[in-house]
Amino acid sequence: MMSSDKDIKAQITQKLHGFDIRSKKQYHEEYHHIFRMAAVLMPLKIYDGEVFILLTKRAANLHNHASEAAFPGGMIDDSDVSVIDAALREAHEEIGLPPSSVEVIAVLSQGITRRNTVVYPVVGFIPNDFQPKINPTEVDFAFFIPLKDFLCDEKISISFYPFKFATYLSREIWYRDNEYEVMIWGFTSCFSTFLAKIILDKADYLEVHVGCTNTGRISDCIEEYFKLFYNWLLASASSKL
């Protein structure tokens, strides 16, 4: 018997419970004064038994990450009560998603971008009938993509980027429809892959970097991904002092 969408949501919620950092002491980290802080929403919907994630293509005129595929999100403001509040606020500003319509189920371990920004990924279910209302000053278009596509060998390209501490694996995947196309890569692709590994029970699919010591333990993989970039950015900052 096929699971209902309600059952699938319950299963996903249970799987993500062990990865939710809100119950950990290090939820508020000591490096907040070193890097900029941001939060993104990883919006999920279940349709006919399949898990989809909503992404955006950022507007071409933006100062950071212009024209890139991204989760709805942005910098944390002083007015934000929490990283969840920041992610929901940004999603409302960018794609018109009402914060009250989001069922937040987890905050994953932090990621980091090459623009010296620590990013908190907030995972939540959104209504199946939600239609994005694009803010053109921030977003070019929004789209849904099956989460399983991030675990599909036929759709993924791998690039290798040697850093000082390790050789990082970048996963690239193209989204195309009759009107739009965009390449998904970097932070967005990595965290979509991490989420897919958890939800679809593919813990050993793709490593974080060449020689990753934590293949198969997803929570450790995410933390190793963060530490790789964190150490690299610290070294880069020190070299400029």
Side-chain angles (χ1 to χ4, degrees):
M1 177 183 293
M2 292 183 61
S3 299
S4 68
D5 290 354
K6 182 177 180 180
D7 290 338
I8 293 173
K9 281 188 174 183
Q11 293 165 11
I12 291 173
T13 301
Q14 183 176 14
K15 289 176 180 178
L16 289 177
H17 178 73
F19 298 91
D20 193 340
I21 66 171
R22 288 178 290 178
S23 61
K24 297 182 179 181
K25 290 182 180 179
Q26 66 267 33
Y27 181 42
H28 296 290
E29 296 281 4
E30 70 278 2
Y31 47 72
H32 283 200
H33 68 286
I34 304 175
F35 298 126
R36 302 185 305 169
M37 309 304 299
V40 297
L41 181 65
M42 304 178 74
L44 302 177
K45 76 171 183 179
I46 314 299
Y47 183 74
D48 284 346
E50 187 167 3
V51 186
F52 291 81
I53 190 164
L54 185 153
L55 301 175
T56 71
K57 181 182 179 184
R58 290 168 58 83
N61 63 320
L62 294 176
H63 180 66
N64 293 322
H65 306 291
S67 298
E68 293 183 7
F71 303 110
M75 305 307 299
I76 298 174
D77 290 345
D78 292 339
S79 61
D80 293 319
V81 176
S82 66
V83 298
I84 294 175
D85 188 50
L88 296 180
R89 174 184 55 76
E90 287 284 347
H92 184 246
E93 292 174 3
E94 293 181 6
I95 58 172
L97 178 65
S100 60
S101 71
V102 182
E103 179 187 349
V104 174
I105 55 176
V107 179
L108 299 183
S109 291
Q110 305 92 316
I112 197 164
T113 71
R114 294 181 66 179
R115 294 187 181 275
N116 295 14
T117 303
V118 172
V119 184
Y120 284 89
V122 178
V123 186
F125 292 119
I126 63 175
N128 280 6
D129 60 355
F130 170 69
Q131 295 295 323
K133 298 177 181 177
I134 299 303
N135 176 351
T137 64
E138 298 195 51
V139 173
D140 189 0
F141 62 87
F143 59 97
F144 287 96
I145 184 171
L147 197 60
K148 68 181 181 183
D149 283 6
F150 291 94
L151 305 182
C152 179
D153 290 332
E154 291 76 19
K155 297 185 178 183
I156 296 171
S157 303
I158 301 292
S159 298
F160 297 88
Y161 294 93
F163 288 160
K164 182 176 181 180
F165 299 96
T167 297
Y168 169 64
L169 299 179
S170 176
R171 304 153 177 83
E172 291 114 25
I173 179 172
W174 279 93
Y175 169 82
R176 292 184 176 94
D177 61 21
N178 293 331
E179 189 175 0
Y180 301 116
E181 71 173 24
V182 63
M183 187 178 75
I184 308 164
W185 67 287
F187 176 92
T188 305
S189 177
C190 279
F191 268 84
S192 295
T193 301
F194 288 143
L195 192 61
K197 282 158 63 86
I198 296 169
I199 291 175
L200 302 177
D201 298 318
K202 297 289 184 179
D204 58 351
Y205 184 83
L206 294 179
E207 56 189 356
V208 174
H209 59 79
V210 175
C212 177
T213 60
N214 290 315
T215 302
R217 300 195 300 273
I218 305 173
S219 59
D220 291 339
C221 281
I222 298 175
E223 291 181 8
E224 189 159 331
Y225 165 87
F226 175 83
K227 289 175 182 177
L228 172 65
F229 276 85
Y230 181 60
N231 289 332
W232 177 73
L233 286 171
L234 279 180
S236 298
S238 297
S239 67
K240 297 175 182 178
L241 295 178

